[in-house]
Amino acid sequence: MTHTKLRKLKISYGDNHALKEINVDIPDKQITAIIGPSGCGKTTLLKSINRIIELSEGVKVRGEVLIDGANIYGKDADVLALRKKVGFLPQRPCPLPMSIYDNVAFGPRIHRLSEEQITKQLEKQKTNGLVKKEKSKKYQDYSKMDHLVEHYLKLAGLWDEVKDRLHSSASKLSIGQQQRLALARVLAIEPEVILADEPTSALDPLSAKLVEEQFKLLKKDYTIVIVTHILRQARRIADYVMFMYLGELIEHGPAEKFFNAPQKDKTKEYLSGEIS
Amino acid sequence: MKARKKADSIATFFFYSSAIFIGILALIILAVLVVKSLPILSNNNFFELLFSSSWRPSRGEFGFLPFIVGTIEVTLIAMAIAIPICLLSSIYLSEYATKRMRSIFMPVIDLLAGIPSVVFGLFGILVIVPFVSFLGKMFGSSTTGYSLLSGSIILAIMVFPIIISVATAVLRSVPHELRESSLALGATRWQTVKKVVVRSSIGGLIAAVVLGFSRAIGETMAVLMVIGNVAIIPKSLFDPAYTLTSLIANNYGEMMSIPMYDSALLLAALMLLLIVAFFNIISHIILSKLIKHNYTNEA
């Protein structure tokens, strides 16, 4: 049973058909990598899953994206609720112009989560075991939001580096730290799906490795879709692969099968490096 | 090879001397104003000049207070009118308007910026003054319409295009990804504007306002035509007022037979310069504090 299904999805910018009839199911709680050469529609496809593609001017979307059976492009679809359910991690980390703390608290605040909702969300998080619970007497002095910020910074693997300067500006972080902050920010809205657009392309190798490892941990609880142009990255982390070429979904399948026994000629050419 | 080096040093000399020339020019203007206003400063008590409101040049009484108050009031009221309207329309143009809308609006705003100030003055006399007179009657004041309020309104209209075009440019320079990041978290457009876009461009927005302010405080012609030019401290918006700029423009070259008059006018010019400099310094301090707090969008 999959929650996210794309049906006859077509996207065009003016006369330029960026996506041509995409039909695919995105497997739950796995990392799906969308690969393919530049300009083949990877990012367009990714951004269509939480409708931020609509922020580009002159874009036209036809077809359906079904999440839990409901078409997100339907007439009474609630785009704000959708974006809470499907988080997005941009290619360049964009710290919001505020402190580290406020960056993580941004999502819960704009969705006006009550104290109880935050408690509930954190309770649910505790059972996933990704973050080890620490016992400290000081905790009682903290507000619910403090707990939430701490939790998600730990979940994104950033807590230890920033715990002493939570209230300093987020733009002072290194770019690798900023990307993990962006991850914490997305996680804090408690999405079910995380979309990531080449999340490591602006990072140094060490930071990139940190982010990749974080993804591998997170897939236990989240459905992750990642666009990458690095074939080796897809081999390292993907459970499921979608190969796009010039707006078409050429081939898709479980990673092992995809890499070891590709069916289509185009895929073979891409994997062998004949086209890039 | 030698020729190239020579050309290089000649070019350097010209760039250098141009820059120096501008700097010296500012100093010369300041020096002229200071030297020319020295006679009145040595003749009259400085605090009396500043804080007396009796302006009777023929008796040797030069109280500048009405002009200083008039200048500051007309400018502040104009900014109070202009800032909200300008910021709201800049936010609309930058965040909500379609490309087509923007391509219609921006040239209109540029056109507004290009209208000579005397034309604004005529517009003021023909439209604003009667309107203010009507408004005054509704509030039970028998005003001619030539008043502080008319001056402020016309001044506000004149600074609209400056503030709007700078503020819109500042808002548009906020990276698209930043808006996308906020919207992708499920923020509404208004939340994004309020918490992300405006916040990250606050320094630039203040600069836009300061630019408008400097223009407003020095504006002469249009204000002179509608403000009434009576040397009193206005008690209400419907009273006439007098600004430093109007004082100079109205009288220099006319009343020179009165002793000390020309020195008084140059002192007025010096005061104007100092007021502008004061506000510029204040705004610089605010700006640098903001930058220190890191609420601007550095990369």
Side-chain angles (χ1 to χ4, degrees):
Chain A
M1 160 80 191
T2 61
H3 286 87
T4 315
K5 298 171 181 174
L6 277 53
R7 291 292 175 264
K8 288 188 182 172
L9 185 69
K10 284 186 243 178
I11 295 180
S12 54
Y13 302 96
D15 296 332
N16 172 20
H17 296 278
L19 288 187
K20 296 164 194 161
E21 279 231 13
I22 307 289
N23 291 293
V24 68
D25 292 358
I26 294 172
D28 291 341
K29 313 229 160 149
Q30 290 190 9
I31 298 178
T32 298
I34 306 176
I35 60 170
S38 317
C40 66
K42 303 186 296 277
T43 299
T44 302
L45 178 62
L46 188 79
K47 287 185 173 179
S48 70
I49 304 175
N50 78 344
R51 290 183 60 173
I52 46 171
I53 191 69
E54 291 175 317
L55 302 179
S56 317
E57 227 159 299
V59 72
K60 226 183 199 164
V61 181
R62 275 163 297 170
E64 295 181 326
V65 175
L66 301 164
I67 292 185
D68 295 329
N71 180 17
I72 63 169
Y73 288 96
K75 259 187 197 153
D76 20 275
D78 177 356
V79 66
L80 299 182
L82 165 73
R83 287 174 183 161
K84 190 175 179 309
K85 212 170 183 179
V86 184
F88 177 78
L89 199 59
Q91 185 168 3
R92 269 201 308 162
C94 276
L96 300 173
M98 46 189 86
S99 69
I100 295 169
Y101 183 101
D102 290 336
N103 261 273
V104 182
F106 184 81
R109 279 179 185 155
I110 56 169
H111 290 288
R112 306 214 167 101
L113 289 194
S114 65
E115 291 232 324
E116 289 109 87
Q117 282 169 307
I118 293 177
T119 314
K120 235 187 228 167
Q121 184 171 322
L122 286 177
E123 285 299 323
K124 215 174 102 196
Q125 280 282 323
K126 267 176 199 157
T127 56
N128 73 14
L130 282 179
V131 172
K132 284 192 191 102
K133 210 178 142 192
E134 279 174 43
K135 278 178 192 159
S136 163
K137 280 172 197 164
K138 273 199 300 185
Y139 267 34
Q140 278 147 14
D141 310 334
Y142 292 176
S143 76
K144 289 276 174 263
M145 194 59 94
D146 293 345
H147 280 296
L148 177 138
V149 169
E150 179 176 343
H151 177 85
Y152 288 105
L153 282 172
K154 279 180 179 165
L155 197 55
L158 188 61
W159 173 252
D160 288 334
E161 291 158 63
V162 300
K163 62 184 171 193
D164 299 323
R165 46 173 173 151
L166 289 176
H167 294 283
S168 69
S169 168
S171 58
K172 285 182 187 149
L173 295 174
S174 77
I175 197 154
Q177 290 171 327
Q178 286 180 7
Q179 191 62 303
R180 279 176 285 147
L181 179 66
L183 182 59
R185 199 169 63 198
V186 170
L187 292 171
I189 58 171
E190 194 60 5
E192 291 165 21
V193 183
I194 298 170
L195 309 173
D197 185 10
E198 305 198 16
T200 61
S201 67
L203 307 186
D204 61 277
L206 271 180
S207 309
K209 198 171 168 230
L210 271 173
V211 170
E212 275 183 22
E213 274 164 11
Q214 224 55 50
F215 277 136
K216 280 197 218 161
L217 288 175
L218 289 170
K219 72 176 183 186
K220 194 168 156 271
D221 289 286
Y222 302 87
T223 301
I224 297 172
V225 186
I226 173 174
V227 160
T228 180
H229 66 268
I230 312 165
L231 207 47
R232 272 167 302 180
Q233 184 174 52
R235 285 184 201 270
R236 278 196 299 269
I237 63 173
D239 304 301
Y240 197 85
V241 183
M242 293 161 61
F243 171 57
M244 311 256 320
Y245 190 77
L246 298 178
E248 282 179 77
L249 182 59
I250 305 289
E251 186 169 352
H252 60 97
E256 206 168 315
K257 192 175 153 231
F258 179 90
F259 287 120
N260 294 330
Q263 304 293 310
K264 303 273 170 62
D265 291 343
K266 267 276 176 298
T267 317
K268 285 175 197 162
E269 282 174 43
Y270 184 72
L271 290 178
S272 67
E274 278 170 55
I275 48 173
S276 61
Chain B
M1 203 54 195
K2 246 183 186 170
R4 281 209 309 164
K5 272 188 181 162
K6 197 155 203 178
D8 188 45
S9 58
I10 290 172
T12 309
F13 170 75
F14 276 111
F15 295 135
Y16 175 73
S17 45
S18 304
I20 290 293
F21 173 70
I22 302 289
I24 288 177
L25 207 57
L27 282 181
I28 291 176
I29 291 175
L30 187 67
V32 167
L33 292 183
V34 170
V35 168
K36 283 285 200 175
S37 42
L38 276 179
I40 193 165
L41 283 173
S42 57
N43 211 13
N44 298 45
N45 182 314
F46 178 66
F47 288 96
E48 218 156 83
L49 287 174
L50 269 190
F51 296 113
S52 157
S53 53
S54 120
W55 179 259
R56 292 188 190 85
S58 48
R59 291 195 216 160
E61 291 173 13
F62 295 95
F64 279 100
L65 195 63
F67 307 100
I68 297 172
V69 171
T71 299
I72 292 178
E73 277 190 358
V74 76
T75 308
L76 290 183
I77 296 167
M79 294 312 282
I81 299 170
I83 291 172
I85 297 178
C86 289
L87 290 188
L88 292 178
S89 50
S90 308
I91 289 172
Y92 170 75
L93 285 172
S94 153
E95 305 301 313
Y96 292 85
T98 57
K99 232 183 209 167
R100 220 178 101 79
M101 210 42 170
R102 249 197 314 278
S103 70
I104 297 170
F105 256 99
M106 293 318 278
V108 171
I109 286 164
D110 289 341
L111 184 73
L112 206 59
I115 296 176
S117 75
V118 66
V119 177
F120 276 108
L122 288 176
F123 171 76
I125 292 172
L126 293 174
V127 180
I128 309 283
V129 168
F131 169 72
V132 169
S133 162
F134 169 76
L135 207 65
K137 274 169 196 130
M138 280 180 44
F139 283 93
S141 146
S142 58
T143 174
T144 55
Y146 289 92
S147 61
L148 184 60
L149 185 59
S150 300
S152 304
I153 293 174
I154 206 74
L155 208 47
I157 296 174
M158 293 182 72
V159 298
F160 281 167
I162 300 170
I163 301 184
I164 291 176
S165 58
V166 176
T168 307
V170 166
L171 291 171
R172 303 271 302 151
S173 74
V174 172
H176 180 70
E177 288 99 331
L178 203 57
R179 292 186 184 85
E180 204 175 71
S181 296
S182 168
L183 292 167
L185 291 168
T188 62
R189 204 129 66 134
W190 170 230
Q191 285 173 322
T192 304
V193 166
K194 194 171 52 171
K195 300 190 176 184
V196 177
V197 178
V198 169
R199 206 164 167 180
S200 74
S201 45
I202 191 79
L205 293 179
I206 289 178
V209 168
V210 168
L211 214 62
F213 187 92
S214 316
R215 165 83 199 263
I217 205 163
E219 172 50 38
T220 310
M221 199 60 204
V223 176
L224 179 154
M225 288 165 78
V226 300
I227 203 166
N229 300 325
V230 179
I232 55 164
I233 293 175
K235 290 192 182 60
S236 89
L237 285 175
F238 300 111
D239 282 347
Y242 214 150
T243 63
L244 288 166
T245 50
S246 314
L247 172 72
I248 302 166
N250 273 338
N251 298 308
Y252 199 84
E254 302 271 326
M255 318 282 276
M256 301 315 242
S257 54
I258 301 172
M260 288 293 154
Y261 207 113
D262 75 319
S263 183
L265 292 184
L266 281 147
L267 181 62
L270 184 61
M271 284 177 183
L272 198 61
L273 195 71
L274 293 180
I275 294 174
V276 174
F278 173 74
F279 280 107
N280 274 345
I281 290 168
I282 294 275
S283 64
H284 266 287
I285 292 171
I286 295 174
L287 269 180
S288 63
K289 279 224 168 114
L290 276 173
I291 288 165
K292 248 188 211 152
H293 277 281
N294 239 321
Y295 286 139
T296 49
N297 58 324
E298 44 176 341

